[in-house]
Amino acid sequence: MQNDFTNYIKVLRYKNQIGIRKLSKLTGYPMKYLLELEDGKVAPTEEIIETFIRIYELDIHQQRTLYNLVAKVTNNLPFDVIRFLMNDPIELAKVINSMHLANEKENNKSR
């Protein structure tokens, strides 16, 4: 299933003039997996995203775009945010607390 993430990774590949065969050699991932990823048939892993960032030499804004698109497709926090929170327990506690407060507020509205 095509989506913003699959379109973005295809555009990255086309802009860098890299065929799927060459991308397979550069990444070490099988062509079948890369094609399925581009078709939205498999979910991206943190490892493949980090590999794309390295191969395409993405700047911070491109990385942020990529992470956000992955989060949208997987319905999870972006990998970089998860990594940051796991390394900073205080920030993690703040996020959990704010999520809890937001849920309580939403529940009170529906009553």
Side-chain angles (χ1 to χ4, degrees):
M1 173 190 344
Q2 297 294 309
N3 55 54
D4 292 339
F5 168 74
T6 60
N7 292 334
Y8 190 75
I9 61 172
K10 283 180 187 176
V11 167
L12 285 174
R13 188 164 62 81
Y14 296 148
K15 274 185 168 178
N16 286 278
Q17 300 178 338
I18 296 176
I20 199 72
R21 226 172 269 223
K22 183 175 179 184
L23 185 61
S24 177
K25 287 179 183 173
L26 290 171
T27 62
Y29 288 90
M31 284 190 330
K32 182 177 190 270
Y33 170 77
L34 295 170
L35 288 169
E36 288 176 346
L37 188 64
E38 285 189 357
D39 288 338
K41 293 179 181 174
V42 295
T45 62
E46 183 174 5
E47 292 77 20
I48 192 66
I49 298 306
E50 294 296 325
T51 302
F52 287 156
I53 288 170
R54 180 179 45 80
I55 287 173
Y56 298 132
E57 299 176 352
L58 301 182
D59 65 34
I60 192 71
H61 300 292
Q62 292 169 310
Q63 290 178 36
R64 170 77 7 233
T65 298
L66 187 58
Y67 281 128
N68 287 338
L69 292 172
V70 169
K72 191 174 170 185
V73 168
T74 61
N75 292 320
N76 288 318
L77 286 172
F79 297 128
D80 61 331
V81 173
I82 293 171
R83 196 175 319 113
F84 168 76
L85 291 174
M86 296 308 289
N87 289 321
D88 191 336
I90 293 170
E91 282 302 315
L92 178 58
K94 287 178 186 177
V95 168
I96 291 170
N97 187 46
S98 68
M99 290 171 66
H100 177 72
L101 292 174
N103 284 337
E104 278 185 357
K105 187 176 180 180
E106 188 63 33
N107 289 338
N108 289 336
K109 278 184 183 178
S110 61
R111 289 181 187 170

